[in-house]
PDB file of all heavy atoms in Angstrom:
ATOM      1  N   MET B   1     -58.789  -6.430  41.133  1.00 45.00           N
ATOM      2  CA  MET B   1     -58.900  -6.255  39.690  1.00 45.00           C
ATOM      3  C   MET B   1     -57.526  -6.001  39.062  1.00 45.00           C
ATOM      4  O   MET B   1     -57.073  -6.690  38.181  1.00 45.00           O
ATOM      5  CB  MET B   1     -59.793  -5.032  39.411  1.00 45.00           C
ATOM      6  CG  MET B   1     -61.254  -5.286  39.195  1.00 45.00           C
ATOM      7  SD  MET B   1     -61.648  -6.504  37.985  1.00 45.00           S
ATOM      8  CE  MET B   1     -62.186  -5.491  36.652  1.00 45.00           C
ATOM      9  N   THR B  16     -45.582 -15.730  25.647  1.00 83.00           N
ATOM     10  CA  THR B  16     -44.999 -15.158  24.432  1.00 83.00           C
ATOM     11  C   THR B  16     -43.496 -15.363  24.411  1.00 83.00           C
ATOM     12  O   THR B  16     -42.908 -15.738  23.387  1.00 83.00           O
ATOM     13  CB  THR B  16     -45.288 -13.638  24.348  1.00 83.00           C
ATOM     14  OG1 THR B  16     -46.421 -13.364  25.132  1.00 83.00           O
ATOM     15  CG2 THR B  16     -45.467 -13.216  22.939  1.00 83.00           C
ATOM     16  N   ARG B  21     -38.735 -18.041  22.372  1.00 77.00           N
ATOM     17  CA  ARG B  21     -37.540 -18.856  22.611  1.00 77.00           C
ATOM     18  C   ARG B  21     -37.577 -20.113  21.768  1.00 77.00           C
ATOM     19  O   ARG B  21     -36.591 -20.511  21.157  1.00 77.00           O
ATOM     20  CB  ARG B  21     -37.426 -19.239  24.094  1.00 77.00           C
ATOM     21  CG  ARG B  21     -36.848 -18.161  24.973  1.00 77.00           C
ATOM     22  CD  ARG B  21     -35.458 -17.785  24.540  1.00 77.00           C
ATOM     23  NE  ARG B  21     -34.535 -18.910  24.653  1.00 77.00           N
ATOM     24  CZ  ARG B  21     -33.810 -19.158  25.719  1.00 77.00           C
ATOM     25  NH1 ARG B  21     -33.865 -18.369  26.756  1.00 77.00           N
ATOM     26  NH2 ARG B  21     -32.989 -20.168  25.741  1.00 77.00           N
ATOM     27  N   PHE B  51      -7.864 -24.077  19.409  1.00 94.00           N
ATOM     28  CA  PHE B  51      -7.144 -22.857  19.796  1.00 94.00           C
ATOM     29  C   PHE B  51      -7.681 -22.297  21.105  1.00 94.00           C
ATOM     30  O   PHE B  51      -6.919 -21.790  21.934  1.00 94.00           O
ATOM     31  CB  PHE B  51      -7.227 -21.811  18.684  1.00 94.00           C
ATOM     32  CG  PHE B  51      -6.177 -21.990  17.644  1.00 94.00           C
ATOM     33  CD1 PHE B  51      -6.488 -22.462  16.389  1.00 94.00           C
ATOM     34  CD2 PHE B  51      -4.851 -21.709  17.926  1.00 94.00           C
ATOM     35  CE1 PHE B  51      -5.513 -22.648  15.433  1.00 94.00           C
ATOM     36  CE2 PHE B  51      -3.875 -21.884  16.968  1.00 94.00           C
ATOM     37  CZ  PHE B  51      -4.205 -22.356  15.732  1.00 94.00           C
ATOM     38  N   SER B  57      -5.467 -23.320  28.370  1.00 92.00           N
ATOM     39  CA  SER B  57      -4.635 -24.292  29.072  1.00 92.00           C
ATOM     40  C   SER B  57      -3.391 -23.681  29.693  1.00 92.00           C
ATOM     41  O   SER B  57      -2.821 -24.275  30.614  1.00 92.00           O
ATOM     42  CB  SER B  57      -4.223 -25.403  28.109  1.00 92.00           C
ATOM     43  OG  SER B  57      -3.361 -24.880  27.143  1.00 92.00           O
ATOM     44  N   ILE B  81      19.324 -28.116  30.636  1.00 79.00           N
ATOM     45  CA  ILE B  81      19.724 -28.381  29.255  1.00 79.00           C
ATOM     46  C   ILE B  81      20.569 -27.211  28.772  1.00 79.00           C
ATOM     47  O   ILE B  81      20.180 -26.060  28.913  1.00 79.00           O
ATOM     48  CB  ILE B  81      18.507 -28.509  28.329  1.00 79.00           C
ATOM     49  CG1 ILE B  81      17.452 -29.423  28.957  1.00 79.00           C
ATOM     50  CG2 ILE B  81      18.921 -29.056  26.996  1.00 79.00           C
ATOM     51  CD1 ILE B  81      16.198 -29.480  28.139  1.00 79.00           C
ATOM     52  N   THR B  96      13.351 -25.047  22.986  1.00 81.00           N
ATOM     53  CA  THR B  96      13.485 -23.741  23.613  1.00 81.00           C
ATOM     54  C   THR B  96      14.088 -22.773  22.617  1.00 81.00           C
ATOM     55  O   THR B  96      14.706 -23.178  21.634  1.00 81.00           O
ATOM     56  CB  THR B  96      14.420 -23.812  24.836  1.00 81.00           C
ATOM     57  OG1 THR B  96      15.651 -24.392  24.406  1.00 81.00           O
ATOM     58  CG2 THR B  96      13.828 -24.645  25.943  1.00 81.00           C
ATOM     59  N   ASP B 102      10.717 -21.726  27.005  1.00 86.00           N
ATOM     60  CA  ASP B 102       9.987 -22.824  26.396  1.00 86.00           C
ATOM     61  C   ASP B 102       9.087 -22.294  25.283  1.00 86.00           C
ATOM     62  O   ASP B 102       8.314 -21.362  25.494  1.00 86.00           O
ATOM     63  CB  ASP B 102       9.155 -23.520  27.475  1.00 86.00           C
ATOM     64  CG  ASP B 102       8.498 -24.757  26.919  1.00 86.00           C
ATOM     65  OD1 ASP B 102       9.239 -25.595  26.377  1.00 86.00           O
ATOM     66  OD2 ASP B 102       7.278 -24.870  27.014  1.00 86.00           O
ATOM     67  N   ALA B 125     -15.631  -3.441  15.225  1.00 94.00           N
ATOM     68  CA  ALA B 125     -15.888  -3.158  13.809  1.00 94.00           C
ATOM     69  C   ALA B 125     -17.334  -3.431  13.462  1.00 94.00           C
ATOM     70  O   ALA B 125     -17.998  -2.635  12.784  1.00 94.00           O
ATOM     71  CB  ALA B 125     -14.973  -4.013  12.936  1.00 94.00           C
ATOM     72  N   THR B 130     -22.546  -1.929  11.732  1.00 91.00           N
ATOM     73  CA  THR B 130     -23.985  -2.200  11.726  1.00 91.00           C
ATOM     74  C   THR B 130     -24.776  -0.961  12.120  1.00 91.00           C
ATOM     75  O   THR B 130     -25.771  -0.615  11.469  1.00 91.00           O
ATOM     76  CB  THR B 130     -24.317  -3.341  12.691  1.00 91.00           C
ATOM     77  OG1 THR B 130     -23.446  -4.426  12.407  1.00 91.00           O
ATOM     78  CG2 THR B 130     -25.730  -3.792  12.529  1.00 91.00           C
ATOM     79  N   MET B 135     -28.048   2.864  10.020  1.00 88.00           N
ATOM     80  CA  MET B 135     -28.653   4.193  10.121  1.00 88.00           C
ATOM     81  C   MET B 135     -28.633   4.905   8.783  1.00 88.00           C
ATOM     82  O   MET B 135     -29.642   5.491   8.357  1.00 88.00           O
ATOM     83  CB  MET B 135     -27.899   5.039  11.161  1.00 88.00           C
ATOM     84  CG  MET B 135     -28.493   4.972  12.541  1.00 88.00           C
ATOM     85  SD  MET B 135     -27.343   5.556  13.767  1.00 88.00           S
ATOM     86  CE  MET B 135     -27.165   7.255  13.322  1.00 88.00           C
ATOM     87  N   GLY B 149     -19.700  10.242   3.960  1.00 87.00           N
ATOM     88  CA  GLY B 149     -18.505  11.076   3.862  1.00 87.00           C
ATOM     89  C   GLY B 149     -17.375  10.529   4.716  1.00 87.00           C
ATOM     90  O   GLY B 149     -16.227  10.404   4.268  1.00 87.00           O
ATOM     91  N   VAL B 153     -13.672   8.477   3.502  1.00 89.00           N
ATOM     92  CA  VAL B 153     -12.318   8.837   3.933  1.00 89.00           C
ATOM     93  C   VAL B 153     -11.606   7.619   4.506  1.00 89.00           C
ATOM     94  O   VAL B 153     -10.467   7.324   4.163  1.00 89.00           O
ATOM     95  CB  VAL B 153     -12.380   9.969   4.972  1.00 89.00           C
ATOM     96  CG1 VAL B 153     -11.017  10.221   5.546  1.00 89.00           C
ATOM     97  CG2 VAL B 153     -12.917  11.215   4.340  1.00 89.00           C
ATOM     98  N   TRP B 174      -1.578  -4.491  22.850  1.00 88.00           N
ATOM     99  CA  TRP B 174      -2.516  -5.169  21.946  1.00 88.00           C
ATOM    100  C   TRP B 174      -3.932  -4.621  21.976  1.00 88.00           C
ATOM    101  O   TRP B 174      -4.600  -4.634  20.937  1.00 88.00           O
ATOM    102  CB  TRP B 174      -2.482  -6.682  22.124  1.00 88.00           C
ATOM    103  CG  TRP B 174      -2.874  -7.224  23.463  1.00 88.00           C
ATOM    104  CD1 TRP B 174      -2.027  -7.640  24.439  1.00 88.00           C
ATOM    105  CD2 TRP B 174      -4.184  -7.428  23.961  1.00 88.00           C
ATOM    106  NE1 TRP B 174      -2.724  -8.073  25.519  1.00 88.00           N
ATOM    107  CE2 TRP B 174      -4.052  -7.969  25.262  1.00 88.00           C
ATOM    108  CE3 TRP B 174      -5.469  -7.217  23.457  1.00 88.00           C
ATOM    109  CZ2 TRP B 174      -5.149  -8.275  26.041  1.00 88.00           C
ATOM    110  CZ3 TRP B 174      -6.551  -7.531  24.238  1.00 88.00           C
ATOM    111  CH2 TRP B 174      -6.391  -8.063  25.516  1.00 88.00           C
ATOM    112  N   GLY B 188     -14.651   1.979   7.588  1.00 84.00           N
ATOM    113  CA  GLY B 188     -14.300   2.002   6.175  1.00 84.00           C
ATOM    114  C   GLY B 188     -15.255   1.199   5.318  1.00 84.00           C
ATOM    115  O   GLY B 188     -16.438   1.504   5.228  1.00 84.00           O
ATOM    116  N   GLY B 189     -14.725   0.137   4.727  1.00 83.00           N
ATOM    117  CA  GLY B 189     -15.503  -0.619   3.753  1.00 83.00           C
ATOM    118  C   GLY B 189     -16.762  -1.251   4.309  1.00 83.00           C
ATOM    119  O   GLY B 189     -17.781  -1.316   3.633  1.00 83.00           O
ATOM    120  N   LYS B 204     -37.788  -4.313   0.341  1.00 83.00           N
ATOM    121  CA  LYS B 204     -38.479  -5.611   0.249  1.00 83.00           C
ATOM    122  C   LYS B 204     -39.947  -5.436   0.666  1.00 83.00           C
ATOM    123  O   LYS B 204     -40.282  -4.584   1.495  1.00 83.00           O
ATOM    124  CB  LYS B 204     -37.789  -6.608   1.169  1.00 83.00           C
ATOM    125  CG  LYS B 204     -36.415  -7.020   0.694  1.00 83.00           C
ATOM    126  CD  LYS B 204     -36.439  -8.425   0.140  1.00 83.00           C
ATOM    127  CE  LYS B 204     -35.154  -8.776  -0.550  1.00 83.00           C
ATOM    128  NZ  LYS B 204     -34.118  -9.170   0.366  1.00 83.00           N
ATOM    129  N   ILE B 207     -41.243  -5.308   4.540  1.00 85.00           N
ATOM    130  CA  ILE B 207     -41.106  -4.075   5.325  1.00 85.00           C
ATOM    131  C   ILE B 207     -42.365  -3.232   5.152  1.00 85.00           C
ATOM    132  O   ILE B 207     -42.932  -2.693   6.100  1.00 85.00           O
ATOM    133  CB  ILE B 207     -39.866  -3.284   4.872  1.00 85.00           C
ATOM    134  CG1 ILE B 207     -38.594  -4.112   5.028  1.00 85.00           C
ATOM    135  CG2 ILE B 207     -39.752  -1.973   5.615  1.00 85.00           C
ATOM    136  CD1 ILE B 207     -38.080  -4.178   6.413  1.00 85.00           C
ATOM    137  N   ARG B 211     -45.091  -2.110   7.907  1.00 86.00           N
ATOM    138  CA  ARG B 211     -45.488  -0.729   8.123  1.00 86.00           C
ATOM    139  C   ARG B 211     -46.994  -0.575   7.971  1.00 86.00           C
ATOM    140  O   ARG B 211     -47.651   0.149   8.726  1.00 86.00           O
ATOM    141  CB  ARG B 211     -44.755   0.174   7.123  1.00 86.00           C
ATOM    142  CG  ARG B 211     -44.769   1.626   7.533  1.00 86.00           C
ATOM    143  CD  ARG B 211     -43.759   2.433   6.765  1.00 86.00           C
ATOM    144  NE  ARG B 211     -42.403   2.191   7.213  1.00 86.00           N
ATOM    145  CZ  ARG B 211     -41.356   2.186   6.408  1.00 86.00           C
ATOM    146  NH1 ARG B 211     -41.501   2.382   5.122  1.00 86.00           N
ATOM    147  NH2 ARG B 211     -40.151   1.972   6.885  1.00 86.00           N
ATOM    148  N   GLY B 217     -41.024   2.600  13.664  1.00 79.00           N
ATOM    149  CA  GLY B 217     -39.643   2.561  13.199  1.00 79.00           C
ATOM    150  C   GLY B 217     -38.787   1.597  13.998  1.00 79.00           C
ATOM    151  O   GLY B 217     -38.055   0.782  13.434  1.00 79.00           O
ATOM    152  N   GLY B 218     -38.911   1.679  15.339  1.00 81.00           N
ATOM    153  CA  GLY B 218     -38.108   0.810  16.200  1.00 81.00           C
ATOM    154  C   GLY B 218     -38.432  -0.649  15.982  1.00 81.00           C
ATOM    155  O   GLY B 218     -37.543  -1.487  15.896  1.00 81.00           O
ATOM    156  N   ILE B 220     -39.608  -2.057  13.247  1.00 85.00           N
ATOM    157  CA  ILE B 220     -39.098  -2.522  11.949  1.00 85.00           C
ATOM    158  C   ILE B 220     -37.596  -2.739  12.022  1.00 85.00           C
ATOM    159  O   ILE B 220     -37.067  -3.743  11.539  1.00 85.00           O
ATOM    160  CB  ILE B 220     -39.473  -1.506  10.845  1.00 85.00           C
ATOM    161  CG1 ILE B 220     -40.972  -1.593  10.579  1.00 85.00           C
ATOM    162  CG2 ILE B 220     -38.722  -1.794   9.571  1.00 85.00           C
ATOM    163  CD1 ILE B 220     -41.493  -0.552   9.671  1.00 85.00           C
ATOM    164  N   SER B 249       0.142  -9.420  14.218  1.00 91.00           N
ATOM    165  CA  SER B 249       1.362 -10.198  14.024  1.00 91.00           C
ATOM    166  C   SER B 249       2.387  -9.400  13.239  1.00 91.00           C
ATOM    167  O   SER B 249       3.580  -9.415  13.566  1.00 91.00           O
ATOM    168  CB  SER B 249       1.051 -11.488  13.268  1.00 91.00           C
ATOM    169  OG  SER B 249       0.045 -12.185  13.896  1.00 91.00           O
ATOM    170  N   GLY B 281      18.907 -24.883  11.830  1.00 57.00           N
ATOM    171  CA  GLY B 281      18.815 -23.683  12.656  1.00 57.00           C
ATOM    172  C   GLY B 281      17.633 -23.703  13.595  1.00 57.00           C
ATOM    173  O   GLY B 281      17.447 -24.664  14.338  1.00 57.00           O
ATOM    174  N   PRO B 288       6.257 -23.161  14.652  1.00 90.00           N
ATOM    175  CA  PRO B 288       4.985 -23.225  15.386  1.00 90.00           C
ATOM    176  C   PRO B 288       4.169 -21.941  15.363  1.00 90.00           C
ATOM    177  O   PRO B 288       2.968 -22.000  15.040  1.00 90.00           O
ATOM    178  CB  PRO B 288       5.413 -23.587  16.812  1.00 90.00           C
ATOM    179  CG  PRO B 288       6.713 -24.222  16.662  1.00 90.00           C
ATOM    180  CD  PRO B 288       7.368 -23.587  15.492  1.00 90.00           C
ATOM    181  N   ILE B 293      -0.498 -18.924  13.238  1.00 93.00           N
ATOM    182  CA  ILE B 293      -1.172 -17.804  12.565  1.00 93.00           C
ATOM    183  C   ILE B 293      -1.990 -18.321  11.398  1.00 93.00           C
ATOM    184  O   ILE B 293      -3.169 -17.992  11.230  1.00 93.00           O
ATOM    185  CB  ILE B 293      -0.139 -16.766  12.067  1.00 93.00           C
ATOM    186  CG1 ILE B 293       0.552 -16.086  13.230  1.00 93.00           C
ATOM    187  CG2 ILE B 293      -0.798 -15.732  11.189  1.00 93.00           C
ATOM    188  CD1 ILE B 293       1.652 -15.171  12.794  1.00 93.00           C
ATOM    189  N   LEU B 295      -3.123 -21.388  10.721  1.00 94.00           N
ATOM    190  CA  LEU B 295      -4.257 -22.245  11.063  1.00 94.00           C
ATOM    191  C   LEU B 295      -5.376 -21.455  11.731  1.00 94.00           C
ATOM    192  O   LEU B 295      -6.559 -21.674  11.455  1.00 94.00           O
ATOM    193  CB  LEU B 295      -3.798 -23.381  11.967  1.00 94.00           C
ATOM    194  CG  LEU B 295      -2.910 -24.406  11.284  1.00 94.00           C
ATOM    195  CD1 LEU B 295      -2.443 -25.438  12.276  1.00 94.00           C
ATOM    196  CD2 LEU B 295      -3.642 -25.074  10.149  1.00 94.00           C
ATOM    197  N   GLU B 309     -22.426 -19.613   3.446  1.00 81.00           N
ATOM    198  CA  GLU B 309     -23.291 -20.544   2.716  1.00 81.00           C
ATOM    199  C   GLU B 309     -24.581 -20.834   3.470  1.00 81.00           C
ATOM    200  O   GLU B 309     -25.607 -21.107   2.860  1.00 81.00           O
ATOM    201  CB  GLU B 309     -22.533 -21.845   2.447  1.00 81.00           C
ATOM    202  CG  GLU B 309     -21.450 -21.640   1.429  1.00 81.00           C
ATOM    203  CD  GLU B 309     -20.989 -22.933   0.819  1.00 81.00           C
ATOM    204  OE1 GLU B 309     -21.678 -23.943   0.982  1.00 81.00           O
ATOM    205  OE2 GLU B 309     -19.916 -22.923   0.202  1.00 81.00           O
ATOM    206  N   LEU B 315     -25.952 -19.983  -2.282  1.00 62.00           N
ATOM    207  CA  LEU B 315     -24.643 -20.616  -2.304  1.00 62.00           C
ATOM    208  C   LEU B 315     -24.721 -22.095  -1.953  1.00 62.00           C
ATOM    209  O   LEU B 315     -23.767 -22.815  -2.114  1.00 62.00           O
ATOM    210  CB  LEU B 315     -23.704 -19.931  -1.304  1.00 62.00           C
ATOM    211  CG  LEU B 315     -23.346 -18.494  -1.590  1.00 62.00           C
ATOM    212  CD1 LEU B 315     -22.382 -17.996  -0.541  1.00 62.00           C
ATOM    213  CD2 LEU B 315     -22.689 -18.373  -2.935  1.00 62.00           C
TER     214      LEU B 315
END
Side-chain angles (χ1 to χ4, degrees):
Chain B
M1 267 308 255
T16 337
R21 279 300 297 268
F51 275 108
S57 67
I81 313 175
T96 54
D102 186 54
T130 310
M135 267 163 65
V153 173
W174 62 259
K204 290 254 170 81
I207 301 281
R211 198 165 285 145
I220 288 172
S249 307
I293 293 174
L295 291 177
E309 290 198 14
L315 295 182

